[in-house]
Amino acid sequence: QKEVEQNSGPLSVPEGAIASLNCTYSDRGSQSFFWYRQYSGKSPELIMFIYSNGDKEDGRFTAQLNKASQYVSLLIRDSQPSDSATYLCAVEGAQKLVFGQGTRLTINP
Amino acid sequence: DAGVIQSPRHEVTEMGQEVTLRCKPISGHDYLFWYRQTMMRGLELLIYFNNNVPIDDSGMPEDRFSAKMPNASFSTLKIQPSEPRDSAVYFCASSFSGRAYEQYFGPGTRLTVT
């Protein structure tokens, strides 16, 4: 079983809609969770982090964490074409980050 | 403030040659990470340093790979001898101990071994 799993996509969402990205992890002891955005040919960029169960909002982005279900999600409201990228979920484990394979998101104008 | 700096940005070399990748972390950051990204394996941690000391090198694929951090502002990742399967994008990232997991990535080095 992979430590961090994401649907590789591609996920296609119309402009203005809500994009929902999901991630599950295997280490119940993990305490810190991160979402990175990676544009094609660029480096990963940290966009959200969450440490506690529940929701955390930052502008159009909301991260959701459910430790009991070992589930992290990222919601992007009012999706824009500029949100088209690969989104990497990362989970802290054994003093380091473990990344999922990423979900490729395309926002269609 | 400048971000993480990596050089070269692109490297094309022949199998068997030595390759050295360089990284300058963000000033004040005391953690430095080397990652490799491929389509097949995604983003993999190779090694990380804290205060210039290697902490975990379990991700280094084999003895052909080595990494050093002689001071707080410079690190190298060396591959000797290089092989075609080493072709990938190599990222350096840094963070500071107050938020060790919030890592900031450099632009990466795209390595092609022919």
Side-chain angles (χ1 to χ4, degrees), chain A residues 36 38 43 51 95-96 101, chain B residues 37 42 48 56 102-103 106:
Chain A
Y36 283 79
Q38 187 174 23
S43 57
Y51 303 139
Q95 301 297 311
K96 55 193 176 187
Q101 286 280 76
Chain B
Q37 188 174 42
Y48 78 92
D56 185 343
E102 294 174 24
Q103 300 176 14

Side-chain angles (χ1 to χ4, degrees), chain B residues 5-80:
Chain B
I5 298 172
Q6 291 187 247
S7 65
R9 296 292 305 277
H10 301 273
E11 177 81 33
V12 180
T13 191
E14 292 183 349
M15 182 174 62
Q17 296 299 305
E18 178 180 294
V19 175
T20 299
L21 311 181
R22 296 172 176 80
C23 175
K24 176 179 170 57
I26 293 171
S27 178
H29 283 192
D30 52 357
Y31 280 85
L32 184 139
F33 307 83
W34 281 101
Y35 289 91
R36 178 173 68 177
Q37 188 174 42
T38 61
M39 289 292 292
M40 289 296 295
R41 301 178 66 90
L43 192 62
E44 303 174 281
L45 177 66
L46 300 177
I47 185 171
Y48 78 92
F49 296 82
N50 179 221
N51 290 322
N52 314 336
V53 176
I55 303 301
D56 185 343
D57 65 354
S58 60
M60 296 286 261
E62 47 197 279
D63 292 346
R64 296 185 298 106
F65 286 69
S66 63
K68 294 182 179 180
M69 191 165 186
N71 57 62
S73 60
F74 183 67
S75 178
T76 59
L77 178 67
K78 186 175 293 186
I79 308 172
Q80 166 64 16

Side-chain angles (χ1 to χ4, degrees), chain A residues 32-75:
Chain A
S32 307
F33 307 87
F34 304 84
W35 284 99
Y36 283 79
R37 177 178 63 200
Q38 187 174 23
Y39 291 115
S40 180
K42 301 296 185 182
S43 57
E45 172 193 11
L46 179 64
I47 57 171
M48 288 287 286
F49 56 87
I50 185 166
Y51 303 139
S52 304
N53 273 332
D55 294 0
K56 178 182 178 182
E57 188 174 316
D58 183 0
R60 296 187 296 112
F61 298 94
T62 299
Q64 300 175 318
L65 173 62
N66 183 326
K67 291 185 180 179
S69 300
Q70 296 174 246
Y71 180 91
V72 192
S73 65
L74 179 70
L75 302 178

